[in-house]
């Protein structure tokens, strides 16, 4: 099988690769270049989504279209692919490899993208594997931080909410280890703290972090508040979910006590943890962040298809 450039997890990126990718994404913001690159004419992307998505699937599909390629796929692969007849993920990937030039996969199982990459004859992009990782979200998060704050080195970043099941937090933590003098503040209810395997990685990489249940600790210290949804669908019981829900809500009162030079990010969708009254504040960067997903994913598709 040919060697391919897969996007499987956040740890695969070093700082040089990240900077190159951000430069490519900045280039992709120039609309004059859209649909003009002959390298992508006739190329086909398959999007295979076994879990729901708005941003990731549609921004990948838009990215491929903006580059001049085509998209096939299914938004509900669990129901509308032959998985429902018992076909394995490996067989599905082998088959789809023959129909397309790149596969974007969102799956319920941790490690699904690695399994897919072992049998694929095209690049695989991990668009989220259960409670595991979401590396392309972390890339657009970092790109957003760089654009909004003008730098990544030296920042204090508070990650708030469901840090156990929130895969974007895992990938973003891993990726931030590439930068200098980062401080991470993990703010969560006790039953959804940051996993020990993420903490071990940060310790190995010499990244400073602390954990708290107190939201107030973040308000004056963090330049970036990375708010997340409590992932109701991943809890073992409704009782455990109830212990975690509704603890940290960013509203007008919180805004008044946040640093003036800070920003609010959220991978979205939100489910009440950022009040709509916050949206008009210039520090609310989450819709700009979602737009950045298009540019980062155009850059990623370019990288995978021209490797
Ligand atoms: N942030 C994110 O992954 O959103 P979707 O679930 O809508 O793709």
């Amino acid at each position: 099988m040919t060697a391919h450039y897969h996007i499987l997890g956040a740890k695969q990126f070093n700082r040089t690769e990240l900077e190159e990718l951000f430069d490519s994404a900045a280039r992709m913001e120039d609309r004059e270049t859209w649909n003009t690159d002959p390298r992508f004419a006739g190329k086909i992307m398959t999007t295979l989504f076994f879990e729901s998505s708005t941003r990731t699937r549609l921004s990948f599909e838009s990215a491929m279209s903006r580059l001049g390629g085509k998209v096939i796929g299914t938004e509900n692969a669990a129901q509308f692919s032959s998985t429902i007849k018992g076909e394995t993920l490996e067989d599905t990937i082998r088959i789809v490899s023959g129909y397309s030039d790149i596969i974007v996969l969102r799956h319920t199982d941790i490690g699904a993208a690695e399994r897919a990459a072992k049998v694929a004859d095209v690049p695989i992009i991990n668009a989220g594997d259960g409670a595991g990782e979401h590396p392309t979200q972390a890339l657009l998060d970092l790109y957003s931080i760089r654009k909004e704050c003008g730098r990544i080195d030296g920042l204090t970043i508070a990650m708030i909410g469901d840090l156990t099941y929130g895969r974007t937090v895992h990938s973003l933590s891993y990726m931030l280890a590439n930068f200098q003098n980062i401080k991470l503040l993990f703010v969560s209810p006790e039953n959804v703290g940051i996993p020990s395997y993420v903490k071990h990685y940060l310790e190995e990489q010499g990244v400073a972090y602390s954990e708290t249940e107190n939201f107030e600790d973040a308000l004056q210290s963090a330049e970036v508040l990375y708010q997340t949804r409590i992932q109701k669908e991943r809890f073992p019981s409704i009782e455990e979910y109830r212990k975690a829900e509704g603890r940290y809500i960013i509203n007008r009162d919180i805004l008044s006590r946040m640093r003036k030079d800070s920003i609010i990010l959220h991978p979205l969708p939100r489910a009440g943890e950022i009040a709509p009254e916050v949206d008009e504040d210039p520090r609310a960067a989450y819709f700009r962040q979602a737009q950045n997903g298009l540019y980062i994913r155009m850059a990623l598709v370019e990288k995978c298809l021209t490797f």
Side-chain angles (χ1 to χ4, degrees), residues 49 51-59 106 127-128 134 136-137 140-141 167-168 226 229 266-269 289-290 297:
F49 276 62
E51 283 188 343
S52 61
S53 170
T54 297
R55 277 146 292 274
T56 311
R57 184 174 66 82
L58 294 176
S59 63
R106 172 169 286 188
H134 195 349
T136 71
Q137 177 70 44
L140 77 91
D141 295 341
R167 58 194 173 197
T168 68
Y226 190 89
R229 178 176 67 90
H266 191 310
L268 303 176
Q289 176 190 4
R297 287 170 174 135

Side-chain angles (χ1 to χ4, degrees), residues 59-77:
S59 63
F60 264 117
E61 294 186 357
S62 176
M64 190 61 179
S65 299
R66 300 289 197 207
L67 288 170
K70 292 188 166 55
V71 179
I72 60 175
T74 171
E75 67 193 55
N76 184 353

Side-chain angles (χ1 to χ4, degrees), residues 257-288:
R257 288 182 285 125
M258 277 172 51
R259 288 172 62 134
K260 299 289 174 250
D261 63 349
S262 60
I263 59 166
I264 303 165
L265 297 180
H266 191 310
L268 303 176
R270 59 179 159 179
E273 61 279 349
I274 300 179
E277 66 203 24
V278 173
D279 296 353
E280 297 309 315
D281 190 283
R283 291 170 290 182
Y286 31 90
F287 294 126
R288 299 191 291 275

Side-chain angles (χ1 to χ4, degrees), residues 7-13 114 126 133 135 171 175:
I7 313 287
L8 303 179
K11 291 182 200 163
Q12 76 183 72
F13 293 94
E114 277 92 350
N126 179 3
E133 280 214 53
S171 294
M175 240 176 239

